[in-house]
Amino acid sequence: MKIMFWRSLVILFIILGFIGALLPGMPTTVFLILAAWAASKGWPEMDAWLMQHPKYGATLRAWRENGTVPRKAKWIASFMMLISGIIMLFTNAPLWVKIFTDVTMLSVAIWLWLRPEPQFMPTKDDFNI
């Protein structure tokens, strides 16, 4: 039962990460980090696959080893959150929803920029985002 819980989380986070790769404003890497975390709890084969993934593996390994986020990922995430926040202001959502989502995205952006960056100089193939 416990393994099924962790594997369900892995699948959920991978699906959300896939959606994030297609939709602006929704993150990819964050959900893959969560998927790797859940996989490490109950799906070692999936954890290994994520860590060796040709596109996201280096970012996931850097996060797991040192909690680092590459500058390119910070810029992309911040820009997408800014665009999403601006779009949110023009929707018919209640004011409290607009404020909550924009404050949440701002908080995430601040937290993200406080994360350390990798010490090595990555090539463009290391962090294809």
Side-chain angles (χ1 to χ4, degrees):
M1 185 69 166
K2 191 174 178 183
I3 289 177
M4 290 307 295
F5 169 75
W6 291 115
R7 289 183 178 195
S8 298
L9 277 181
V10 171
I11 292 167
L12 173 68
F13 291 140
I14 288 176
I15 290 169
L16 290 172
F18 179 74
I19 292 169
L22 300 176
L23 296 177
M26 181 133 167
T28 301
T29 306
V30 172
F31 287 117
L32 293 180
I33 288 171
L34 290 169
W37 167 75
S40 73
K41 305 287 186 189
W43 201 347
E45 299 85 5
M46 181 60 78
D47 183 47
W49 181 80
L50 287 167
M51 290 298 122
Q52 298 306 315
H53 191 275
K55 185 170 184 176
Y56 298 106
T59 302
L60 296 173
R61 287 189 305 275
W63 172 261
R64 183 172 283 175
E65 293 166 9
N66 303 307
T68 59
V69 179
R71 184 170 296 186
K72 181 179 177 183
K74 291 178 183 183
W75 278 110
I76 291 170
S78 298
F79 179 73
M80 297 309 286
M81 286 187 284
L82 175 65
I83 297 300
S84 298
I86 291 170
I87 291 170
M88 177 61 84
L89 294 175
F90 294 101
T91 67
N92 291 329
L95 180 61
W96 70 269
V97 171
K98 294 177 185 183
I99 292 170
F100 176 78
T101 55
D102 286 355
V103 168
T104 300
M105 286 189 285
L106 176 63
S107 300
V108 170
I110 291 169
W111 173 84
L112 185 62
W113 281 96
L114 291 174
R115 299 303 314 152
E117 294 178 7
Q119 294 300 312
F120 64 91
M121 294 300 294
T123 66
K124 74 175 191 174
D125 293 331
D126 288 334
F127 294 107
N128 277 339
I129 295 179

